[in-house]
Amino acid sequence: METITTVAGLRACVRKWKQAGDRVGVVPTMGALHEGHLSLVHAARAQADRVIATVFVNPIQFDNADDLETYPRTLEADACLLKGAGVDVLYAPTVSQMYPPGFATRINVSGVSEGLCGGTRAGHFDGVATVVCKLLMQTLADRAFFGEKDFQQVQVVRRMVTDLDLPVEVVACPTQREADGLALSSRNRRLAPHQRQIAVALPRIMRACAADIAAGADIPAALTQAAGQLADAGFEPVEYVELRSELDLQPLASLSGDAPARLLAAAWLGDVRLIDGMAVALPE
Ligand code: PAF
């Protein structure tokens, strides 16, 4: 595995691959890698000839300076994991390489970036869309792999790729979970042991809520009940528990066969913000 830190170096490498007819897959990450990221690398390995993993803690998607400061940075360990997973190139640009002095562009994807995580994190999805667009243009990837845990992020990237005619296929991969059901996240490592015990209530309560809705429960009542159960379990604050269309992230007042539905939630344990999401299917 080669580590590249400049746009020029990456372009030279990708040019050779493209000349040889290789299809390129990219897995964008902010590092602090876990099995969830590696599942994206495995998917990329299976669906592309060459795999680039990017590690870049993107300052413009953080709305909180402390969060950016404390975001885990574990490049050496990340490099070992990526090498073991068969990545061809680790692309780890510096902040000044990505955002040189004078950088002034932001991509704003309206609609799907509003509400949910976009409701409380000002500018977050502009930062995500901007960096993902740059990474796609820099890597010239044919396919880009993202985790469904960040469901709204996937929809924002899909909308941007469609709207800007970017020649890349966005591949969404299923959420990876711990044995007890907690969705894998780089933030989990910041949970104290007692918080880790509480954290498992998030997928448990969401699963029960999804099952109630699928069985015909009143949707607003089921969502309110789940938010209350999360608060009782120790989450503070519970930011949202919502049922949205998987297609355009519009709120859903009822289930129908035409619009696949997804239950989405965000809640805090101390200074750790956890999110999760799961499909809600009508019974067969
Ligand atoms: O999901 C992430 O890790 C980040 O939001 C991404 C897509 C790498 C952009 O910085």
Side-chain angles (χ1 to χ4, degrees):
M1 184 182 78
E2 190 182 351
T3 299
I4 296 179
T5 57
T6 64
V7 179
L10 185 66
R11 283 262 159 80
C13 170
V14 171
R15 195 176 308 120
K16 275 196 235 134
W17 291 346
K18 295 259 166 174
Q19 276 163 0
D22 288 346
R23 288 180 64 78
V24 177
V26 65
V27 180
T29 83
M30 296 207 299
L33 301 181
H34 49 66
E35 283 300 324
H37 296 108
L38 296 184
S39 74
L40 303 180
V41 171
H42 297 320
R45 244 323 8 132
Q47 297 181 45
D49 304 306
R50 300 289 188 169
V51 177
I52 302 171
T54 73
V55 173
F56 178 65
V57 181
N58 176 31
I60 68 166
Q61 73 184 73
F62 286 80
D63 57 341
N64 175 313
D66 282 349
D67 203 16
L68 172 60
E69 180 93 355
T70 56
Y71 199 87
R73 288 162 173 85
T74 57
L75 190 59
E76 237 174 81
D78 292 343
C80 282
L81 289 173
L82 294 171
K83 189 171 174 193
V87 162
D88 296 290
V89 161
L90 162 58
Y91 177 51
T94 58
V95 172
S96 59
Q97 182 70 204
M98 287 299 265
Y99 303 120
F103 186 88
T105 300
R106 286 287 187 285
I107 295 179
N108 173 258
V109 182
S110 63
V112 287
S113 69
E114 290 155 20
L116 303 171
C117 294
T120 47
R121 307 183 73 196
H124 170 68
F125 285 118
D126 292 1
V128 170
T130 304
V131 80
V132 170
C133 186
K134 281 177 70 79
L135 291 169
L136 295 177
M137 301 312 292
Q138 291 171 353
T139 59
L140 298 178
D142 300 285
R143 289 195 168 132
F145 297 80
F146 296 88
E148 275 189 347
K149 184 177 83 67
D150 297 296
F151 197 79
Q152 189 175 15
Q153 169 170 280
V154 176
Q155 303 310 313
V156 169
V157 170
R158 280 193 196 286
R159 186 75 259 163
M160 173 186 72
V161 163
T162 301
D163 290 354
L164 299 183
D165 305 309
L166 300 183
V168 60
E169 183 188 339
V170 175
V171 182
C173 301
T175 303
Q176 302 296 305
R177 297 182 181 278
E178 302 277 7
D180 64 5
L182 181 66
L184 296 189
S185 164
S186 305
R187 289 167 196 263
N188 293 355
R189 65 181 75 183
R190 288 172 49 207
L191 293 169
H194 73 283
Q195 292 173 324
R196 176 63 185 81
Q197 282 181 355
I198 297 171
V200 69
L202 179 60
R204 181 171 43 75
I205 290 168
M206 289 180 71
R207 253 196 319 274
C209 178
D212 287 349
I213 292 173
D218 176 70
I219 292 173
L223 299 177
T224 304
Q225 175 175 307
Q229 289 171 337
L230 288 169
D232 291 347
F235 288 89
E236 165 64 38
V238 177
E239 235 175 59
Y240 62 79
V241 183
E242 294 200 32
L243 188 71
R244 296 284 183 121
S245 158
E246 287 195 351
L247 305 178
D248 56 10
L249 287 188
Q250 285 302 301
L252 285 179
S254 62
L255 288 185
S256 85
D258 308 334
R262 189 155 280 247
L263 183 66
L264 298 163
W268 293 75
L269 285 172
D271 62 355
V272 184
R273 183 174 182 277
L274 298 178
I275 63 172
D276 205 342
M278 48 196 67
V280 181
L282 278 173
E284 304 270 300

